[in-house]
Amino acid sequence: LEWHYQHLYQPQVVSPGSIMPPFRFLFVKRRIIGQPSNDAVKLLPPDQPEAGWEVVPSAEARSLVQYLTSLKRSSYPLPEAPEETPAK
C-alpha cells in the first residue's frame, strides 16, 4: 500500500518519466503531536515534510488505494490482451 500512496503523492519520483500528475489534494500535512502516525506516508526527497510534520492519506486516498489494489489483473482473463506464455 505504501507504494500506492507514494505514487499518488509523487508519481515522477516513484516512476521516473511518468506523466501522471500528483494527487496531493488526497493527503493531509499535519504537525506531529506526540508520536508520528503509523499511517504517515514515507515520502522520498524532495517531498519529505520538514521535521515535526507528517503527510497522511485522507479517507478518499485510502478508498482510492483500496479500489486500485482490488483490481487484480491475474484474477480474470482479458481476451483483448492475452498473456504470452514463455516458450519451453
Side-chain angles (χ1 to χ4, degrees):
L1 297 180
E2 184 68 32
W3 183 90
H4 290 283
Y5 291 128
Q6 290 173 344
H7 190 245
L8 286 171
Y9 195 87
Q10 50 184 185
Q12 288 78 21
V13 172
V14 177
S15 297
S18 173
I19 60 170
M20 180 176 137
F23 289 86
R24 294 182 179 168
F25 64 91
L26 293 174
F27 297 84
V28 177
K29 181 180 175 183
R30 64 184 185 193
R31 185 176 297 279
I32 297 172
I33 300 174
Q35 295 295 317
S37 171
N38 290 335
D39 297 331
V41 181
K42 295 167 187 66
L43 296 172
L44 304 169
D47 296 313
Q48 290 173 321
E50 56 273 14
W53 290 82
E54 64 185 0
V55 174
V56 295
S58 66
E60 291 85 1
R62 291 177 200 284
S63 295
L64 178 56
V65 168
Q66 184 178 15
Y67 168 71
L68 291 172
T69 56
S70 76
L71 299 174
K72 296 180 182 167
R73 161 64 181 92
S74 62
S75 64
Y76 53 90
L78 289 176
E80 67 275 12
E83 289 187 34
E84 293 184 25
T85 55
K88 292 186 180 185

